[in-house]
Amino acid sequence: MNGFDAYQLGRRGTTASWVLGGAFLILIGAFFRTQVLQHDKYALQAQTNRLRAIPIEPPRGEIVDRNGLLIAENAPGFSVKLLAPKADSLRAVLQRLSTIVPLDSFAIEESLRRFRGAPYQPVVVLGDADFAAVSRLEEHRAMLPGLIIQSEPKRLYPQGRAVAHLVGYVSEVTESDLSTNRFPNATLGSLVGKAGLEREYDSVLRGRAGVRYAEVNARGRLVREDVGSASLPAVAGRQIRTTIDLPLQRYIDSIWPAGVRGAMIAMTPSGEIRALYSAPTYDPNVFVGGIDAANWRLLNTDSARPMLNRAISGRYPPASPFKLAIGAMALRRGLINFDTHMPVPCTGVYRLGNRGFKCWKREGHGSLDLTGAVAKSCDVYFYQLGQRLGLEAIIQDGVLMGFRDRTGIDLPSELSPQFPANLDYFNRLYRGAGNWSAPATTLNFSIGQGENDQTLISMIQFYASLAGNGEEPIPYIVHPTGATRHSTGLSETQLAGMRRALIAVVEQGTAAASRHRDLLVAGKTGTAQNSHGKDHGWFIGFAPADHPQLVVGGIMEFAEHGTIVAPYVVNVLRRYILGPAEPSEPQIRVLTDEAVRGDSAPRPVQLPDSVPAARPTP
Amino acid sequence: MSLRRVRHPGELRWETRLLGVVTLTLLVLGLVTTYSATNVMQSRGHVVGLGFALKQVLGAMLGGAFLLIASRIDYYRWRQLAWPLLLVTVVLLLIPILPGTTAIAKPVNGARRWIDIGPINFQPSELARLVVVIWCAMLATKKGGKVREFRRGVLPFIVVLGGVSLLILLEPNLSMALLVALLGGIVLFAAGPRIGHFVLLSVVGALLAYNRIQGAAYRMARFNTYRNAEHATSDALYQIHNSLVGIGSGRIFGVGFGEGQQKLGYLPEATSDFLFSTIGEEWGFLGVCLIVGLYALFCWLGFRIAKTASDPFGQYLAVGLTATVGVTAFMHMAVTLGMMPTTGLTLPFMSYGRSSLVISLLGTGILINIGRLRGRLTAASERRKAAE
């Protein structure tokens, strides 16, 4: 025999049978898992093999002003998309398409890039095509396989530039937006709000995209454009009603001097924003259907920064309007009352040690009480008031009054003001207690200069509290958001005194030239020293002074003085309270060419020509 | 001492008959599936379905004839023919590799695996699969107890198996080369060498195979698809992914015969290398169980025949022939599930491909013959007795 027995074969055969049996059992198990347990997943993928989802953009919710006037609406439009099996065939179709409608090589590359990112989705070629282009494309449909033309609602801002910083704009969601989940439920290709109210209330406005299905064959070629089954209608976004007064907003845009940068806000004492304007502005309609590269570059490289919302994101030294805050601090601490005179009368300069701190008026104001000092904006009075308070108290009370916090307005890009939290801030800033002078800093803070930069909305909030009951309202356009409430801590009589002082500013003080017989306006001018160029001008006022309905504040960069701004603010107040009947245009001219002798301004009162024009407004 | 049991010939009939029934069932199901999978296939705008199915029917008829003939030829003849067959196979394998033979061995998909002479068009490596089993069974029988030695027992196997595998590898056709080596190894295993030798060989073989896998970029892509499915590029994943999508959408009862979507161009090689994916999609889990069960039954019957074969050559041959069907089927199925690298092996009896079909049927014919001759006083056993 061969030394190998059948029993050995038998044993090995049994082993082999077991191995084989086990192997087939494992196989059966694996098939069970794939076919029964994971069926849903694969069945879905089988569907996606055959069907391509084409998103249907929902109409975005309208934005209306408090009377129902349209700030943002939808207009009928067309989008041109392509469904392609491969990048090569997409490129070929795009080349052919570019002979029919204008399409530059950059747009072609962009479409290809999008395709590589999401090959199963139709690529948007033209986000906003006009009827003529669509007609031409339909004519040549035979040579454009995979062409999908959809009628889609397009965003339209009838007031365009006047409301840009208020409403913001919409644009396609980016991949980084999606990865950070900034826009819940958004998918590639969704239009989302990128700034302003569009951004803040995106979840309300956007609605939910619907979907319909197109059938493709194995090579990804479009077979049937509309597969009736399993399509999901789009859900329209909801309308939002704002507190905005659109005619007032347009009025501000119409009177704003061309080429001047700055911002203006109109707000009721309870915090309802009636108008919010920033200049230079831009046309939010250019973003609809995808902004082209040239426009985008222009908006982003312009040195005037038209995309910056100066009303809530621009920080300026608060200057003289801050003197009211200093006065309020001294009043609430009981250090003075409205009749208190300071020990040193104003001679145009205030001596501190061997340094002299000037008042804006070289000849001096003489001895003034608080009301007079506010009316004349006397620096020397407030130097001494600041010294009486002390820097620590100024910072403490400033923080309490909210000069360090965002107001909480329901707009996305509000910056918090810059205001020290405590004295340590200066030690850190100047690297040691010995490197800065507390008395000099105190004097600077007393007149709203120094390490203190406020946004316009923050100052408006403070003045609203003076116009109201001393509580600082949270500004809002649709809903107030939960921010900490601040209070000036003044009594009713003290508030009334403050308002009298502010009336005096307009009646006989620095803004006397803006005075009108038919409307009593209270307000405060300001000239913010600007190390980069000409000073910025402030004016914040409210009217009617005895029963305030509206607080309006404006800042104009390089305007040199608040008296330049005052007439604009006053006209806005008049327009809102007295109605549009009042002719406004000549009013401003009268105010600007007559030297405002009550205030400093030895310079000729005119708007500087040297201000770099952002974009000449027609 | 030769057989564990000697039974009356009549007792043993059911195994060979059942084997025939199983084979016929698989064959018919395969033809039906090929028809259903190809009747919608288009080539240059024309529906090619019926042509494919007819070609496959021709292959089945030819293979059926081979099966009938082989089941009636004393399998002992194959032992005598082992060396000549091996030589012929080696020559046929050399043809596609040699330069200047592109006229009769055109490259298809970058590999030259087919010989094409007029009406005859076949894959020599399919023949090698059968011949290697016959040759190994022959040599193992001849070596007898010496297979337990290394130099005189195992080494000759390594030399020849290695040589044949290398030739197939050069086509290039890695999966077939591995399969041939594996089948030879299984026959050798049945002959009972030391387990130590066997383990050592397996390790060496695996290392060599890995080295070769790294050598070819497309194999690497396929291999990586398997090893690391999430990070593979979508191109490499495409086939496996669509195979799984097909199988997964089948659920328990399948989407229905002929209703499969994946064969409509989504799944490449839906009728050959990925036929089982089509079956899974159209017939569902029940169909899968049925087919797997049929192959398991085939193997069980084959091993029964091997155990009760009347001489060692028959035993080894039966083991090898059974393993050829079982292992190939298993690997094919595992590939469609993504459990193994995509290899390009057909499903025996079922996949489109006439070389594979004819060879598989021929092998089954031999297996049936081994079964038929058990317990009978045949010419073979007489000769064997005479030799002793």
Side-chain angles (χ1 to χ4, degrees):
Chain A
M1 281 302 286
N2 54 20
F4 174 65
D5 297 326
Y7 84 92
Q8 271 183 303
L9 178 67
R11 211 174 56 188
R12 290 204 172 178
T14 312
T15 314
S17 301
W18 277 113
V19 169
L20 205 70
F24 278 123
L25 272 182
I26 290 170
L27 212 54
I28 288 285
F31 273 101
F32 183 78
R33 178 166 159 267
T34 310
Q35 298 197 279
V36 180
L37 303 181
Q38 301 179 336
H39 166 76
D40 293 345
K41 179 177 117 188
Y42 289 119
L44 187 74
Q45 285 174 0
Q47 283 279 304
T48 55
N49 261 348
R50 200 162 54 84
L51 299 178
R52 295 280 184 276
I54 299 172
I56 307 171
E57 283 302 321
R60 225 175 142 76
E62 291 170 338
I63 302 175
V64 297
D65 87 338
R66 64 186 184 128
N67 295 316
L69 297 175
L70 286 164
I71 299 174
E73 60 173 317
N74 297 299
F78 295 98
S79 73
V80 175
K81 299 175 182 177
L82 281 176
L83 200 56
K86 276 186 305 223
D88 293 342
S89 52
L90 178 64
R91 187 188 293 274
V93 175
L94 283 169
Q95 294 292 357
R96 261 174 271 158
L97 202 141
S98 66
T99 61
I100 301 165
V101 292
L103 197 67
D104 57 19
S105 62
F106 181 84
I108 291 179
E109 287 310 314
E110 172 65 17
S111 296
L112 284 166
R113 196 189 60 76
R114 282 159 181 262
F115 176 77
R116 287 186 197 104
Y120 294 119
Q121 285 202 358
V123 180
V124 180
V125 182
L126 298 171
D128 184 17
D130 57 20
F131 187 74
V134 166
S135 311
R136 280 201 300 281
L137 288 174
E138 283 287 3
E139 224 172 285
H140 295 89
R141 184 177 270 283
M143 58 182 273
L144 302 168
L147 179 71
I148 296 169
I149 294 173
Q150 273 179 302
S151 148
E152 270 179 11
K154 292 282 176 270
R155 203 53 159 166
L156 178 69
Y157 307 99
Q159 304 306 328
R161 308 170 63 89
V163 296
H165 289 285
L166 181 69
V167 288
Y169 61 92
V170 291
S171 146
E172 202 178 312
V173 69
T174 64
E175 273 146 61
S176 69
D177 289 338
L178 288 176
S179 62
T180 53
N181 203 25
R182 282 172 62 203
F183 300 98
N185 302 326
T187 51
L188 213 61
S190 296
L191 290 178
V192 293
K194 285 298 176 70
L197 292 171
E198 296 274 26
R199 167 80 186 89
E200 184 75 21
Y201 292 101
D202 183 67
S203 54
V204 181
L205 293 166
R206 191 177 348 127
R208 206 181 60 225
V211 71
R212 67 195 177 94
Y213 290 95
E215 189 173 338
V216 293
N217 67 12
R219 295 196 170 73
R221 283 266 177 245
L222 190 64
V223 180
R224 216 156 26 123
E225 210 190 306
D226 234 325
V227 182
S229 67
S231 64
L232 190 72
V235 178
R238 292 203 301 279
Q239 186 194 64
I240 58 171
R241 182 174 282 266
T242 62
T243 60
I244 296 296
D245 189 274
L246 192 57
L248 188 71
Q249 176 86 20
R250 290 176 60 189
Y251 176 74
I252 293 175
D253 179 57
S254 68
I255 62 166
W256 191 270
V260 174
R261 308 175 194 177
M264 192 171 280
I265 295 174
M267 184 175 95
T268 65
S270 61
E272 295 182 21
I273 300 284
R274 288 284 181 258
L276 188 145
Y277 184 79
S278 173
T281 179
Y282 59 91
D283 186 0
N285 289 308
V286 302
F287 288 92
V288 174
I291 186 168
D292 58 74
N295 260 326
W296 179 246
R297 213 163 30 240
L298 201 68
L299 284 178
N300 281 290
T301 55
D302 192 332
S303 62
R305 301 183 63 197
M307 302 288 284
L308 175 69
N309 188 346
R310 288 171 162 81
I312 56 171
S313 311
R315 285 189 286 219
Y316 305 93
S320 301
F322 197 73
K323 288 174 183 163
L324 272 289
I326 298 291
M329 293 169 192
L331 286 171
R332 71 186 288 200
R333 284 177 180 254
L335 297 178
I336 54 163
N337 55 44
F338 286 95
D339 311 324
T340 310
H341 288 250
M342 284 296 131
V344 182
C346 176
T347 56
V349 70
Y350 178 70
R351 299 231 153 257
L352 179 75
N354 55 358
R355 289 174 68 186
F357 285 79
K358 284 182 193 155
C359 184
W360 63 266
K361 194 174 182 185
R362 216 177 300 159
E363 315 87 81
H365 291 102
S367 185
L368 295 165
D369 60 4
L370 180 59
T371 309
V374 168
K376 303 291 182 197
S377 198
C378 176
D379 292 335
V380 171
Y381 184 94
F382 282 98
Y383 289 148
Q384 295 172 75
L385 190 56
Q387 279 184 315
R388 195 174 287 191
L389 272 163
L391 187 56
E392 194 160 6
I394 292 176
I395 289 167
Q396 257 175 23
D397 286 6
V399 171
L400 277 179
M401 288 178 179
F403 286 110
R404 204 180 138 69
D405 295 321
R406 273 193 281 264
T407 62
I409 186 172
D410 48 351
L411 282 178
S413 55
E414 186 190 2
L415 287 185
S416 52
Q418 283 181 335
F419 193 82
N422 47 45
L423 289 181
D424 272 349
Y425 171 83
F426 298 99
N427 293 336
R428 279 199 310 277
L429 186 65
Y430 298 104
R431 305 208 175 134
N435 297 331
W436 62 285
S437 152
T441 307
T442 310
L443 298 198
N444 270 335
F445 264 74
S446 312
I447 58 162
Q449 301 286 348
E451 291 77 3
N452 177 6
D453 285 320
Q454 297 294 324
T455 57
L456 178 58
I457 188 69
S458 168
M459 292 305 288
I460 292 274
Q461 188 187 31
F462 173 66
Y463 273 74
S465 71
L466 295 183
N469 59 1
E471 295 289 326
E472 297 193 5
I474 295 167
Y476 67 95
I477 302 172
V478 182
H479 304 292
T481 59
T484 22
R485 276 186 170 274
H486 297 286
S487 170
T488 49
L490 296 182
S491 68
E492 268 306 314
T493 41
Q494 286 171 325
L495 285 168
M498 288 298 238
R499 285 198 282 268
R500 267 198 308 278
L502 287 170
I503 293 167
V505 173
V506 182
E507 287 298 303
Q508 67 243 13
T510 53
S514 303
R515 189 169 61 90
H516 289 269
R517 246 175 234 116
D518 48 2
L519 183 66
L520 195 57
V521 176
K524 184 75 195 81
T525 54
T527 305
Q529 285 167 24
N530 178 15
S531 48
H532 304 296
K534 291 184 179 168
D535 295 348
H536 305 314
W538 283 95
F539 187 84
I540 305 170
F542 48 83
D546 44 359
H547 184 67
Q549 291 176 21
L550 194 69
V551 184
V552 177
I555 183 153
M556 291 185 181
E557 293 182 13
F558 314 118
E560 302 197 359
H561 202 278
T563 49
I564 307 289
V565 188
Y568 292 97
V569 170
V570 170
N571 273 350
V572 170
L573 285 167
R574 291 172 59 76
R575 158 87 190 197
Y576 182 77
I577 291 154
L578 303 176
E582 197 72 13
S584 50
E585 198 54 41
Q587 212 74 44
I588 288 169
R589 199 156 3 99
V590 170
L591 284 164
T592 45
D593 58 25
E594 205 170 291
V596 194
R597 302 201 189 286
D599 199 350
S600 69
R603 307 150 190 151
V605 184
Q606 64 175 49
L607 290 169
D609 294 322
S610 55
V611 171
R615 179 191 276 227
T617 324
Chain B
M1 183 168 168
S2 57
L3 299 173
R4 203 159 56 166
R5 286 166 295 181
V6 178
R7 283 184 277 179
H8 187 271
E11 281 182 73
L12 304 168
R13 285 275 176 83
W14 69 271
E15 286 157 353
T16 52
R17 281 180 182 165
L18 190 52
L19 195 73
V21 170
V22 168
T23 308
L24 192 65
T25 311
L26 287 171
L27 183 65
V28 170
L29 290 178
L31 283 173
V32 165
T33 315
T34 306
Y35 174 71
S36 98
T38 54
N39 71 339
V40 290
M41 225 156 78
Q42 295 195 346
S43 174
R44 295 182 201 91
H46 299 287
V47 176
V48 297
L50 203 56
F52 266 55
L54 281 179
K55 280 184 182 176
Q56 190 70 351
V57 169
L58 280 177
M61 284 164 71
L62 185 68
F66 278 12
L67 182 142
L68 288 177
I69 295 165
S71 67
R72 286 172 202 286
I73 296 175
D74 185 349
Y75 63 87
Y76 202 82
R77 296 262 175 87
W78 297 106
R79 182 177 169 175
Q80 294 162 325
L81 281 172
W83 275 112
L85 276 174
L86 187 69
L87 282 175
V88 170
T89 307
V90 167
V91 169
L92 287 174
L93 281 173
L94 273 172
I95 290 176
I97 300 164
L98 293 175
T101 56
T102 35
I104 53 169
K106 294 188 184 70
V108 179
N109 299 333
R112 295 168 71 195
R113 295 174 184 174
W114 277 268
I115 293 179
D116 190 353
I117 316 165
I120 307 163
N121 173 6
F122 74 105
Q123 226 179 328
S125 52
E126 291 285 350
L127 179 64
R129 197 166 60 159
L130 177 67
V131 169
V132 157
V133 167
I134 295 172
W135 182 84
C136 284
M138 180 276 293
L139 195 67
T141 318
K142 201 168 125 189
K143 293 283 178 193
K146 285 185 205 142
V147 292
R148 296 184 71 78
E149 297 168 31
F150 184 76
R151 269 186 58 188
R152 290 170 66 195
V154 176
L155 198 59
F157 285 94
I158 296 172
V159 172
V160 172
L161 283 178
V164 173
S165 298
L166 186 70
L167 289 178
I168 299 172
L169 200 58
L170 290 174
E171 285 180 354
N173 189 347
L174 176 73
S175 51
M176 188 61 91
L178 279 178
L179 184 67
V180 162
L182 184 62
L183 290 175
I186 287 171
V187 175
L188 185 60
F189 176 75
R194 287 176 191 276
I195 295 293
H197 289 160
F198 216 77
V199 171
L200 188 72
L201 277 182
S202 312
V203 171
V204 172
L207 286 177
L208 284 176
Y210 186 77
N211 189 33
R212 288 303 305 177
I213 286 170
Q214 281 190 316
Y218 89 100
R219 283 192 213 112
M220 199 60 204
R222 282 182 167 189
F223 192 69
N224 281 338
T225 310
Y226 151 73
R227 221 176 33 178
N228 187 354
E230 270 127 65
H231 297 109
T233 63
S234 57
D235 271 353
L237 256 177
Y238 181 79
Q239 213 171 13
I240 283 293
H241 174 80
N242 274 301
S243 171
L244 281 170
V245 166
I247 292 168
S249 44
R251 213 166 198 175
I252 292 179
F253 300 106
V255 297
F257 176 70
E259 296 291 316
Q261 295 287 341
Q262 294 302 98
K263 65 192 180 192
L264 302 180
Y266 300 106
L267 177 63
E269 307 290 342
T271 58
S272 53
D273 299 353
F274 279 88
L275 178 78
F276 205 64
S277 174
T278 308
I279 292 174
E281 183 185 8
E282 298 192 352
W283 302 355
F285 183 63
L286 289 183
V288 166
C289 286
L290 172 73
I291 304 292
V292 171
L294 283 174
Y295 280 106
L297 184 60
F298 185 98
C299 292
W300 181 68
L301 292 171
F303 284 138
R304 265 188 82 86
I305 289 172
K307 263 198 268 186
T308 52
S310 46
D311 63 344
F313 176 68
Q315 292 169 354
Y316 304 154
L317 192 56
V319 165
L321 293 171
T322 308
T324 307
V325 171
V327 170
T328 315
F330 176 83
M331 283 169 78
H332 175 97
M333 294 174 188
V335 163
T336 61
L337 274 179
M339 290 164 65
M340 269 181 66
T342 307
T343 52
L345 287 176
T346 54
L347 191 59
F349 310 123
M350 297 189 78
S351 280
Y352 179 77
R354 278 160 295 160
S355 304
S356 158
L357 184 60
V358 168
I359 295 294
S360 296
L361 288 172
L362 177 60
T364 310
I366 298 170
L367 192 57
I368 288 174
N369 183 258
I370 298 169
R372 282 162 60 101
L373 295 186
R374 284 172 303 168
R376 279 193 196 169
L377 206 60
T378 61
S381 49
E382 274 173 3
R383 270 195 295 278
R384 197 169 61 81
K385 281 205 163 133
E388 282 164 10

